[in-house]
Amino acid sequence: MSVKPDKWIRKMALEHKMIEPFTDKQVRAGVISYGLSSYGYDIRIADEFKIFTNINSSIVDPKNFDPKSFVDFKGETCVIPPNSFALARTIEYFRIPRNVITVCVGKSTYARCGVIVNVTPFEPEWEGIVTLEVSNTTPLPAKIYANEGVAQMLFFESDEICATSYKDRGGKYQGQKGVTLPKA
């Protein structure tokens, strides 16, 4: 299993619609960079956010998540409260090949500000808009910029096809279109 280079990512995006929309090079001028890099793809965060709040004093329960724990917000920037987080989504739609798995890592610009992006791996044959969890680990409010880079996806191709893909299992987050809350 090896990490895939820019040539492979470009080919898969253009010929197999693995990433849509696809930006063929890294865009940097005046923005937090996004697009194709040497061994990954820097994803953009959309302008739709669900900001975590404890105004209802709910318990965070992944099997019975209370949607009232979030405040919906749409805008060019989102301020995440101290020691809190927001859910958001990518601009890009992904279609992962059956012999590929991805790993997401945060961008250094945000990491150096105490802002961490968490995304679980995209499993073989998963597809959809990605739900992002953006944590502000600092004691100060943190600003996130919509339509700019937020994390990098690394693509790993196996030398063998898996016996059962995410699609085969009927994964509960298959084909998601927007910010998706936890499902039991």
Side-chain angles (χ1 to χ4, degrees):
M1 183 173 286
S2 64
V3 67
K4 302 310 290 181
D6 49 6
K7 297 179 292 189
W8 182 90
I9 297 167
R10 180 182 296 111
K11 178 179 176 162
M12 294 303 291
L14 297 176
E15 295 179 14
H16 301 281
K17 299 181 178 182
M18 184 175 75
I19 306 169
E20 289 186 299
F22 175 72
T23 302
D24 192 57
K25 61 183 188 283
Q26 250 189 356
V27 174
R28 296 169 167 240
V31 300
I32 298 173
S33 63
Y34 63 89
L36 185 63
S37 66
S38 302
Y39 286 96
Y41 190 85
D42 290 7
I43 57 177
R44 290 176 288 167
I45 193 167
D47 64 356
E48 301 167 29
F49 300 89
K50 290 185 177 294
I51 304 168
F52 185 74
T53 178
N54 66 354
I55 59 172
N56 296 316
S57 298
S58 296
I59 293 174
V60 177
D61 181 350
K63 290 185 177 183
N64 187 22
F65 198 85
D66 184 356
K68 292 183 285 193
S69 296
F70 289 105
V71 173
D72 291 336
F73 176 77
K74 186 174 176 88
E76 289 302 307
T77 61
C78 174
V79 175
I80 301 175
N83 303 305
S84 190
F85 73 96
L87 295 181
R89 69 172 182 85
T90 57
I91 290 174
E92 295 85 2
Y93 189 97
F94 287 85
R95 292 175 187 86
I96 304 304
R98 190 173 182 98
N99 63 336
V100 172
I101 191 163
T102 71
V103 172
C104 177
V105 293
K107 293 195 58 76
S108 61
T109 300
Y110 280 121
R112 292 166 198 235
C113 295
V115 175
I116 308 300
V117 177
N118 183 33
V119 178
T120 57
F122 306 169
E123 294 190 41
E125 291 195 308
W126 176 83
E127 78 169 75
I129 294 287
V130 180
T131 296
L132 306 165
E133 185 263 331
V134 184
S135 292
N136 175 6
T137 66
T138 76
L140 303 170
K143 188 182 281 189
I144 307 301
Y145 292 88
N147 303 306
E148 297 187 20
V150 71
Q152 183 177 87
M153 301 310 305
L154 304 174
F155 299 84
F156 294 90
E157 184 178 32
S158 177
D159 22 354
E160 273 186 62
I161 298 288
C162 60
T164 307
S165 72
Y166 192 81
K167 182 179 178 182
D168 295 340
R169 284 196 307 275
K172 59 188 171 186
Y173 299 110
Q174 183 76 321
Q176 62 191 21
K177 300 282 189 231
V179 179
T180 305
L181 297 179
K183 297 178 183 181

